[in-house]
Amino acid sequence: NAGVTQTPKFQVLKTGQSMTLQCAQDMNHNSMYWYRQDPGMGLRLIYYSASEGTTDKGEVPNGYNVSRLNKREFSLRLESAAPSQTSVYFCASSEVQWNEQFFGPGTRLTVL
Amino acid sequence: AQSVTQLDSQVPVFEEAPVELRCNYSSSVSVYLFWYVQYPNQGLQLLLKYLSGSTLVKGINGFEAEFNKSQTSFHLRKPSVHISDTAEYFCAVTLDSNYQLIWGAGTKLIIKP
């Protein structure tokens, strides 16, 4: 039982490059989330998926897209990376929307 | 709009001393409250939560928190901290399952030997 897994753990991009962050959970949770964490700003919600087949914008969706591929997987795509997207990205899941969330280990992304 | 304030960005405390990490929220209605812990270079994990019932909530690793509706606070306490408690602690609030979780900015607990 791995919980929430994220790949990659680290990534360095050049401005304008694209990439997809992968997230998978094996707890049969309905809801999944993508957050970014920046020093002194806590967690900010980028997108979430309340259930399979639905996605909604969070607080900071600009520059990102998501896909809820199936119940297990929820990916985050940066189409044209910018230095302002340098951050640590966390995926989380929960059985009930907005209740206890289980987090992955994070992806540390640097955009040069 | 809801907001969550963690009044201290850092709290230094000596090992085996008690600690209180403060969390205040802005809401006049019933809320669900959470404390999460993030150890260095890891993801977050739930420490404890208040959904209803007793206002004193006990969590993992000897932590507890008290929900105070009149003061709109949910402060986290531990009577005696250990070096392994070094981490960042986040308070989060939601009205119910139809509303987004709102996060505080976090408090870094620094344990001095």
Side-chain angles (χ1 to χ4, degrees):
Chain A
N1 193 341
V4 179
T5 57
Q6 292 182 237
T7 56
K9 285 187 167 46
F10 301 94
Q11 184 71 48
V12 178
L13 293 177
K14 293 181 180 176
T15 297
Q17 287 185 316
S18 62
M19 79 161 296
T20 300
L21 280 65
Q22 306 286 355
C23 173
Q25 52 93 7
D26 62 3
M27 296 172 283
N28 201 35
H29 284 169
N30 292 308
S31 301
M32 297 186 74
Y33 316 84
W34 275 106
Y35 292 95
R36 59 177 290 173
Q37 184 179 32
D38 301 291
M41 302 190 74
L43 290 175
R44 291 185 292 170
L45 183 67
I46 305 171
Y47 272 93
Y48 68 100
S49 171
S51 60
E52 187 179 357
T54 69
T55 60
D56 285 286
K57 294 179 181 179
E59 182 184 354
V60 290
N62 291 346
Y64 305 95
N65 283 299
V66 290
S67 295
R68 183 77 182 264
L69 304 169
N70 47 55
K71 192 170 186 179
R72 289 188 64 247
E73 298 172 288
F74 188 39
S75 63
L76 178 72
R77 183 159 179 83
L78 287 70
E79 290 292 350
S80 179
S84 61
Q85 294 179 304
T86 294
S87 188
V88 181
Y89 292 85
F90 288 101
C91 177
S93 70
S94 65
E95 186 176 7
V96 176
Q97 187 179 214
W98 308 122
N99 208 318
E100 178 181 357
Q101 296 183 15
F102 293 79
F103 284 79
T107 294
R108 190 172 295 273
L109 175 67
T110 301
V111 183
L112 302 174
Chain B
Q2 282 187 87
S3 66
V4 177
T5 303
Q6 291 185 246
L7 293 160
D8 306 298
S9 60
Q10 291 188 62
V11 172
V13 62
F14 285 104
E15 198 170 10
E16 297 184 8
V19 69
E20 178 180 82
L21 305 183
R22 297 179 291 170
C23 173
N24 286 86
Y25 62 92
S26 63
S27 175
S28 59
V29 298
S30 296
V31 293
Y32 299 159
L33 298 147
F34 304 82
W35 274 101
Y36 284 81
V37 59
Q38 184 180 29
Y39 297 107
N41 299 313
Q42 294 186 27
L44 284 74
Q45 64 182 87
L46 185 71
L47 260 184
L48 48 80
K49 63 183 177 184
Y50 172 81
L51 302 181
S52 65
S54 172
T55 57
L56 183 62
V57 180
K58 294 192 183 298
I60 61 171
N61 300 339
F63 283 92
E64 63 181 32
E66 185 151 23
F67 169 53
N68 188 319
K69 189 174 182 179
S70 62
Q71 296 188 5
T72 60
S73 68
F74 190 54
H75 299 334
L76 181 70
R77 301 186 184 101
K78 186 170 183 178
S80 175
V81 295
H82 189 265
I83 195 77
S84 59
D85 294 321
T86 298
E88 191 160 16
Y89 293 79
F90 292 91
C91 181
V93 176
T94 184
L95 294 181
D96 63 29
S97 62
N98 294 314
Y99 293 87
Q100 290 187 16
L101 205 54
I102 306 299
W103 294 84
T107 298
K108 287 185 179 170
L109 180 59
I110 299 165
I111 311 297
K112 300 185 285 185

